[in-house]
Amino acid sequence: MDTKHCAVDGWVDAIPVPGPRDTVTFDLVVRPADIDVLDDDAPDTIVTCTSGDPRITHELLNGIQPGDLLRATGTLVQPQTPGEPARLTVDALEVLDTALVPVLREMVLDRFGDYVVIFDADRDQVPVFTAYGVWVGLADNPDAIATLIDIHERVNGGDA
């Protein structure tokens, strides 16, 4: 397995997603440095990024939106199978430029105290996680959010 410590500049493709064990995953769209000499239909490179650093996780879940230009520094693992995206484990993150307007259209992020939920017009289920990016669970519908948060607080002693 070929690994390399490097920095990658790219645009966030979609809203970062909380993962297991307090991690977050997101894709960066990376354009070649020599884009001016390439064909117009030359493909962009997608780099799948993940981080477990609490500061990076918090920033990705609370301050980053699709279209933001980031510099992600970490360990890059080349895919074993051609056509799969490279994977970058991020240990440092820098925002180089922000998107001009929020691109959230069918999805809405909302706060419930120390909790964040994502309402999606195409789904009844509502993902719930803490403001620090800890996964709480998937509420069956908006009416079940309070119950899910209640259970989480009872199990975890009330700390979000």
Side-chain angles (χ1 to χ4, degrees):
M1 187 174 300
D2 189 22
T3 64
K4 179 179 180 181
H5 191 77
C6 64
V8 177
D9 294 350
W11 286 269
V12 176
D13 187 39
I15 297 171
V17 178
R21 296 178 298 282
D22 301 333
T23 62
V24 67
T25 302
F26 62 102
D27 287 339
L28 284 180
V29 177
V30 180
R31 296 236 164 103
D34 56 354
I35 192 74
D36 296 335
V37 297
L38 296 175
D39 292 333
D40 290 338
D41 61 348
D44 294 328
T45 300
I46 304 295
V47 178
T48 300
C49 302
T50 188
S51 181
D53 183 306
R55 293 170 296 152
I56 294 173
T57 300
H58 183 267
E59 179 63 22
L60 286 164
L61 294 175
N62 294 290
I64 302 298
Q65 65 179 356
D68 286 352
L69 178 62
L70 305 179
R71 174 170 290 142
T73 305
T75 305
L76 183 69
V77 178
Q78 296 296 329
Q80 292 180 337
T81 307
E84 288 184 1
R87 296 193 175 278
L88 180 69
T89 302
V90 179
D91 54 34
L93 186 72
E94 180 182 355
V95 178
L96 301 176
D97 196 10
T98 57
L100 295 176
V101 295
V103 291
L104 299 175
R105 293 187 194 342
E106 291 95 21
M107 281 203 249
V108 176
L109 295 174
D110 199 3
R111 293 285 298 252
F112 280 71
D114 291 331
Y115 296 87
V116 178
V117 300
I118 301 173
F119 293 105
D120 185 346
D122 297 331
R123 300 179 66 193
D124 288 334
Q125 296 176 320
V126 182
V128 180
F129 48 95
T130 69
Y132 295 109
V134 177
W135 176 250
V136 174
L138 192 62
D140 290 331
N141 56 56
D143 295 330
I145 295 170
T147 304
L148 185 62
I149 290 173
D150 247 7
I151 293 168
H152 183 265
E153 287 185 348
R154 275 190 251 146
V155 169
N156 295 297
D159 292 329

